[in-house]
Amino acid sequence: MFVDRVKVNIKGGNGGNGMVSFYRAKYITHGGPDGGDGGKGGSVIFVGDEGMNTLMDFRYKRKYKAENGEGGGKRNCFGKDGKDIIIKVPVGTVIREAESGKVMADINKAGEEKVLIAGGKGGKGNQHFATPTRQAPRYAEQGRLAKEYDIILELKLIADVGLIGFPNVGKSTLLSMVTNANPKIANYHFTTLAPNLGVVESKFGNTFVLADIPGLVEGASEGIGLGHEFLRHVERTKVFIHVVDAAGVEGDDPVENVAKINKELEEYNSELLKRPQVIAANKTDIPEAAENVARLQEVYGKEGYQVFPISAATNQGLDDLLMEVGKILQNYPEDIIFEEEYEEYDEVSVDREPFVIEEVEDGYYVVTGIGVEKMIGYTNIETEKGFAFFQKYLKEKGIIEALEEKGIEQGDTVRIYDLEFEFWV
């Protein structure tokens, strides 16, 4: 089975909690705070693996979670960091956020790494919260929670040359004759339901990867049949060999069929028609094919297409076809990366991110939340402009109102991560 689309759940490791602890030893009953920090949670990392060619493994395991960080210990001992989880995917895998459909990562190269979820930060132990007026803080930070996503893994083949055309025109036969691939071949529509890959090693010294893209139909660009699933693979192909049944065995007109397939390519992604394309007029061992080959050359020769009469079943004309494709690839940009136009995924906006307020001691309030942490990270409170932004943020996000609902009074202390201040409004 060829699997090219699957849904899985991933979660980063949570940060370990900070420790509330006070130094104790013989003759020392009221030592200072010595609670250690929690360890960082593990990250979720995707890596391109050239040894994989399907997403089959993800059919049997749908949940992936990195290890949580350990909590801090006594005597300033730090908690152990959680282990990252490495998830290998085939080269050509696009990772989408399931709910929005937006792209989070696009793995194009073997060994390419993408940290999709960073592990949560470890919470600070109570040793960090001692002040001249609060020498015995009974508060430590909780470890940050890591994000969790449902994602769609979508595999797009990356091949040098793609065989395109209607079903049952001889693409699978051609692939089997010029490569080491062994596709199933039968004389009915949609016998190929998954792309097959093979390596062409011609006697002219050209070596390239050839993909048999499953047969397209009219309406494929609109999602009819398995149209979108098949067309995804066409997008990452450098050169097209457009195979047609020149003999018209099933009563179709090969000249019209070329136009129909090209129309589907254009409607799905207009850039596809800008790729080099040669026409392989197949089944020329049948006498009726000669007239159609002449028509194909007359119609499409004017548009710049080269037409090669071939017979995949008898190996006729294949050398000329492969030699021309090899020449095209030699002049092709080596560093080109095919990407579809898609909307990239953005982290949830700060506006929608929640916050939590706790009164950990009488008159001492702690505000936490991903959005608040981000705001502190990019705001310079020491400047007048930065302080004004800080005040505006607290008011607009409802933090001041929430603190008042918790019962905060003038002069009480508020802590937002590393920032501690007295509350005056």
Side-chain angles (χ1 to χ4, degrees):
M1 176 187 291
F2 182 93
V3 179
D4 68 348
R5 186 179 174 88
V6 67
K7 182 177 180 180
V8 297
N9 176 270
I10 56 173
K11 187 181 187 312
N14 298 329
N17 295 331
M19 180 73 173
V20 176
S21 173
F22 297 92
Y23 181 72
R24 295 290 183 267
K26 193 174 184 181
Y27 307 120
I28 301 177
T29 58
H30 294 86
D34 68 350
D37 299 350
K40 178 180 177 294
S43 299
V44 179
I45 305 172
F46 283 81
V47 180
D49 185 351
E50 61 185 351
M52 298 176 66
N53 53 25
T54 78
L55 299 172
M56 176 65 75
D57 293 347
F58 297 95
R59 287 275 173 160
Y60 308 109
K61 183 178 179 181
R62 295 297 184 94
K63 289 185 176 292
Y64 296 83
K65 185 181 183 303
E67 189 175 62
N68 292 336
E70 290 185 355
K74 299 180 179 180
R75 301 196 175 186
N76 303 325
C77 290
F78 284 23
K80 183 179 178 183
D81 290 344
K83 292 182 180 179
D84 298 334
I85 182 170
I86 307 295
I87 303 176
K88 295 182 178 181
V89 294
V91 175
T93 299
V94 175
I95 305 172
R96 298 180 184 273
E97 196 273 325
E99 184 176 349
S100 67
K102 295 180 180 179
V103 171
M104 305 177 77
D106 191 351
I107 309 297
N108 285 310
K109 299 176 183 177
E112 180 180 355
E113 293 188 4
K114 175 67 177 180
V115 179
L116 215 65
I117 300 178
K121 295 180 182 178
K124 292 182 178 180
N126 70 332
Q127 59 172 307
H128 295 280
F129 304 106
T131 67
T133 57
R134 184 179 291 102
Q135 298 183 11
R138 299 185 178 277
Y139 164 74
E141 278 185 346
Q142 299 291 306
R144 316 295 201 274
L145 298 178
K147 292 181 179 293
E148 179 177 4
Y149 294 108
D150 285 329
I151 60 171
I152 301 293
L153 300 179
E154 184 180 279
L155 177 61
K156 292 187 178 183
L157 296 179
I158 298 179
D160 297 308
V161 183
L163 297 173
I164 60 173
F166 276 104
N168 203 28
V169 294
K171 298 191 304 299
S172 296
T173 302
L174 176 57
L175 180 73
S176 68
M177 296 299 284
V178 300
T179 74
N180 55 356
N182 295 300
K184 294 180 180 180
I185 300 171
N187 210 17
Y188 50 85
H189 292 305
F190 291 107
T191 176
T192 305
L193 292 180
N196 289 298
L197 287 175
V199 178
V200 175
E201 296 179 359
S202 74
K203 56 187 178 184
F204 307 107
N206 299 317
T207 300
F208 53 84
V209 178
L210 180 64
D212 169 19
I213 308 298
L216 301 175
V217 295
E218 285 186 88
S221 59
E222 299 173 1
I224 293 177
L226 297 176
H228 283 176
E229 283 75 4
F230 294 163
L231 283 164
R232 279 204 307 272
H233 300 293
V234 178
E235 287 182 298
R236 295 193 176 187
T237 304
K238 296 178 180 178
V239 181
F240 299 140
I241 297 178
H242 197 147
V243 184
V244 293
D245 176 6
V249 172
E250 299 189 4
D252 294 336
D253 183 347
V255 175
E256 292 182 2
N257 283 354
V258 171
K260 289 176 181 177
I261 292 295
N262 281 345
K263 181 182 178 183
E264 295 302 326
L265 296 181
E266 182 179 25
E267 291 183 354
Y268 181 73
N269 183 346
S270 60
E271 292 296 315
L272 294 178
L273 283 190
K274 297 179 182 178
R275 311 262 173 93
Q277 181 178 146
V278 297
I279 297 174
N282 194 25
K283 304 184 182 180
T284 55
D285 52 313
I286 300 175
E288 291 78 7
E291 181 181 348
N292 286 330
V293 169
R295 291 176 58 227
L296 286 166
Q297 291 173 332
E298 179 183 0
V299 173
Y300 293 104
K302 297 176 182 178
E303 298 183 17
Y305 294 95
Q306 292 194 64
V307 180
F308 292 87
I310 68 166
S311 171
T314 62
N315 259 333
Q316 294 176 14
L318 300 186
D319 286 347
D320 291 340
L321 174 66
L322 297 179
M323 183 168 63
E324 177 59 29
V325 170
K327 288 179 181 178
I328 295 173
L329 289 173
Q330 284 178 352
N331 297 319
Y332 217 86
E334 293 183 2
D335 59 347
I336 190 168
I337 296 177
F338 299 122
E339 295 181 351
E340 63 173 315
E341 298 244 342
Y342 50 59
E343 192 174 358
E344 292 190 2
Y345 180 80
D346 293 322
E347 293 290 344
V348 178
S349 67
V350 172
D351 291 344
R352 287 164 37 204
E353 290 178 336
F355 57 86
V356 176
I357 297 177
E358 295 179 88
E359 185 179 12
V360 296
E361 294 179 13
D362 185 32
Y364 190 78
Y365 295 82
V366 177
V367 181
T368 57
I370 294 174
V372 182
E373 182 181 11
K374 287 180 181 177
M375 183 273 299
I376 291 294
Y378 61 62
T379 305
N380 184 2
I381 309 297
E382 301 300 323
T383 67
E384 183 177 348
K385 184 177 179 181
F387 186 72
F389 173 81
F390 171 66
Q391 289 180 309
K392 181 180 178 183
Y393 179 92
L394 295 182
K395 185 175 181 180
E396 290 184 348
K397 302 308 176 204
I399 294 175
I400 290 179
E401 182 181 353
L403 284 167
E404 291 174 340
E405 290 177 356
K406 282 280 188 178
I408 194 169
E409 296 180 358
Q410 302 291 324
D412 284 350
T413 302
V414 179
R415 185 178 187 89
I416 303 178
Y417 293 98
D418 294 331
L419 179 65
E420 188 172 283
F421 57 93
E422 290 185 351
F423 183 79
W424 298 99
V425 293

